[in-house]
Structures are given as C-alpha cells and as structure tokens.
Amino acid sequence: MHQESHSNTINKKQSQMQKLTEEIIGLESSPLYPYRTQNGYLPVIGEGSLNAKIMFIGEAPGLSEAQSGRPFVGRAGKFLDELLNSIDLNREKVYITNIVKDRPPDNRDPRADEINVYAPFLERQLTIIQPHIIATLGRFAMNYTLKLFKLPQHSQPIGFLHGKILIPPDPNAHYCVLPLYHPAAVFYNRGLEKAIHEDFELLKDFTQT
Ligand code: URA
C-alpha cells in the first residue's frame, strides 16, 4: 500500500514535469524563443531526481547546455560535478535547473523580462520536487529566490550571504535557502575556491532522510 502510494507520487511528479517540459518547448511568447529555434538550440528544463532533497538553481544555459539540452555540462558544470562528488553526491541524487530555461545570446546576463517569463516554471518545479534546501548558484538565482520567499536578507550582497542557511519567514515553508557562489565565479577569482568548497559542506546535512 505504502509502496503503491510512493509510485503514484512519482508518476504524478513525472507527468507534471512532462507537461511543464512541453509548455516550455512550445513557449513562442518567450523573447528567447526565436534565438533558440533559429540556432537549433534546445531549452534546458533541468535534470536529476524528482524526489531530491537538494535543488540547485543556476542562471541560464550557456552554449554547451543549449546544444545538449542539459544544465551545467560545460566548464562550470564539470566543477559543479567535482563539488557534488566532494560531498558524496552526484547529479542523480539532486535536481539541477536554472531560472531562465533558454540560452541568452552571447551568454549575456538574463534580462528582467526573460526572468519573468521563465520564473513561473521554476516555481512549478519547486512545487513538484518539494526540496528541503534550495541552493542558489550565483547572484541572479540568489536575488530571485530571496525575493520570491520574501527573505529579509534580499538586498545583501552574495559576498556576505554565501554559505548562510536562510529560513523563509513563511511558517508553512518546508525548505530553506543556501546562497552559493556560481561555480564559474571561481574561474575569474581563484580566491573563491576555498569558500565554495566550504559552503558545499553545509549541504551534507541535507543528503539523508
Ligand atoms: N551556468 C548556469 O548558470 N547554468 C548552466 O546551466 C550553465 C552555466
């Protein structure tokens, strides 16, 4: 009985994610849709376990991601894999996605209108997966997530908030938020490497249950 309800939940989650995927594939109203289709790129929905306790949110796909349809498969992704392995995790045990699901031209920062188009999909992914902790990668994902959950720290810089576990004020919230540096930030500033490794250690407490 218990097992049956578990597999029903998984089936439900899979079909909700499938529906969301189809909606994003056909999202002609997105300002990034023409760029995607003209270049033969794929949207990047996310990947990993639909029962993950830990959900990572990055910014937007880059070239390798838009070509493969998978999040974090380029250089930053290799480093993310290393960070996951350092705490005995891998992609199958967590869920990895981005705020913006299509590649912005020339890897520019996502614009507010683009974030607004894709944000409802991210919120649906959060509802489907119900993670215990949301680990944001970089300042775009951090700013968006802290505002979404009305966290009072939202105006503070990532240099101050990284590695701090934040509890949303909503008493019904079943998750907390951990701002992390974006893995690519380390390529520009080697001094961040130690901090990002230490911050990842905090996720160990969320790997069981
Ligand atoms: N950077 C991101 O923020 N997301 C990816 O998927 C890849 C690089």
Side-chain angles (χ1 to χ4, degrees), residues 44 58-62 65 70-73 76 98 182:
V44 177
E59 188 175 308
E65 289 79 19
R70 298 182 55 211
F72 283 95
V73 290
N98 288 299
H182 195 286

Side-chain angles (χ1 to χ4, degrees), residues 108-139:
R108 65 157 168 72
D109 289 343
R111 297 190 316 235
D113 61 327
E114 293 160 356
I115 292 178
N116 290 341
V117 164
Y118 293 97
F121 293 102
L122 176 65
E123 287 168 44
R124 278 165 62 186
Q125 287 176 303
L126 284 165
T127 308
I128 295 169
I129 295 169
Q130 309 251 333
H132 292 179
I133 187 160
I134 300 162
T136 57
L137 299 169
R139 94 197 134 82

Side-chain angles (χ1 to χ4, degrees), residues 24-86:
I24 296 174
I25 291 171
L27 196 64
E28 291 179 29
S29 59
S30 165
L32 294 172
Y33 183 86
Y35 184 65
R36 179 216 296 171
T37 47
Q38 281 154 19
N39 289 284
Y41 293 150
L42 297 168
V44 177
I45 312 296
E47 69 179 26
S49 165
L50 299 187
N51 284 326
K53 306 284 183 295
I54 304 173
M55 180 158 163
F56 289 91
I57 304 178
E59 188 175 308
L63 177 62
S64 324
E65 289 79 19
Q67 285 172 334
S68 64
R70 298 182 55 211
F72 283 95
V73 290
R75 194 169 163 222
K78 295 219 163 51
F79 184 42
L80 178 60
D81 284 333
E82 248 179 75
L83 290 161
L84 288 171
N85 291 339
S86 76

